[in-house]
Amino acid sequence: MRQREGVRLLIVPGLHGSGEAHWQTWLEARYRGARRVEQADWSVPDLPAWSARIAETLDAAPGVRWVAAAHSFGCLALAHHLVTHPASAVAAALLVAPAAPARLGVEAITPRTRLARPGMVVGSDTDPWMSAGEARTRAREWGLTYRHLGDAGHINTEAGFGPLPPARQWIDALVRRLERDARVTRADVREFAFAV
């Protein structure tokens, strides 16, 4: 894939990380300069600590804009990060198969407000961690679009997802949107003038 100047991929795994066969690992290998958030303890769903690790990962690469691809509990950590760090370098987000905050004891501190950037929540009818209805509600609360994958389980290796080509398409679409918005922001007003 062609390197897109200034926009890189940030992988935010869920509980227990994303192994070699997971779609996040497949996606990461397709983007030069991609970076993965590593947690101190992959088995403890500590929302503030996971959110802080996202901030630390971003701080290690100043001046870069990121598109984040999160999975499961990583989606909650990313949402928490974006609300607590409104100036975050994460400019767009793909949140796949979020985990239900109530199941992990973090409902009270999981954001229910707009994340103030473009993105998408992807849900499934058969996800044991969050119903499609709750995923749709979270997408609406976070101000993101919703994509429904039908009978796709938790959209992980156990559900049969190693490669996930739509994730690459969604990331590419988010990057194109950021690039388009940046061109409009940088454009001189004279570029929009038309000869009469």
Side-chain angles (χ1 to χ4, degrees), residues 168-187:
R168 185 173 185 179
Q169 294 165 359
W170 298 327
I171 292 295
D172 286 347
L174 288 169
V175 169
R176 282 191 303 274
R177 178 175 177 178
L178 293 175
E179 290 174 337
R180 183 189 66 233
D181 292 350
R183 280 193 303 274
V184 170
T185 301
R186 288 190 309 261

Side-chain angles (χ1 to χ4, degrees), residues 5-30:
E5 196 61 37
V7 181
R8 290 170 52 188
L9 176 66
L10 181 72
I11 298 291
V12 186
L15 286 172
H16 312 295
S18 297
E20 289 300 313
H22 196 279
W23 67 265
Q24 284 186 307
T25 304
W26 172 85
L27 187 66
E28 182 180 7
R30 273 135 189 85

Side-chain angles (χ1 to χ4, degrees), residues 69-91:
H71 182 255
S72 194
F73 188 73
C75 297
L76 306 184
L78 181 60
H80 186 276
H81 165 78
L82 294 174
V83 168
T84 58
H85 296 81
S88 173
V90 174

Side-chain angles (χ1 to χ4, degrees), residues 71-156:
H71 182 255
S72 194
F73 188 73
C75 297
L76 306 184
L78 181 60
H80 186 276
H81 165 78
L82 294 174
V83 168
T84 58
H85 296 81
S88 173
V90 174
L94 173 65
L95 292 86
V96 178
R103 290 193 57 189
L104 296 162
V106 296
E107 179 70 35
I109 57 174
T110 297
R112 297 193 81 115
T113 59
R114 296 182 69 80
L115 302 183
R117 57 214 1 103
M120 175 188 305
V121 172
V122 180
S124 158
D125 284 332
T126 52
D127 189 341
W129 283 94
M130 180 182 278
S131 71
E134 186 176 353
R136 190 175 287 109
T137 297
R138 292 289 172 171
R140 187 175 56 252
E141 292 170 346
W142 291 336
L144 306 176
T145 60
Y146 178 74
R147 181 71 56 131
H148 182 249
L149 285 190
D151 179 9
H154 192 47
I155 314 173
N156 59 2

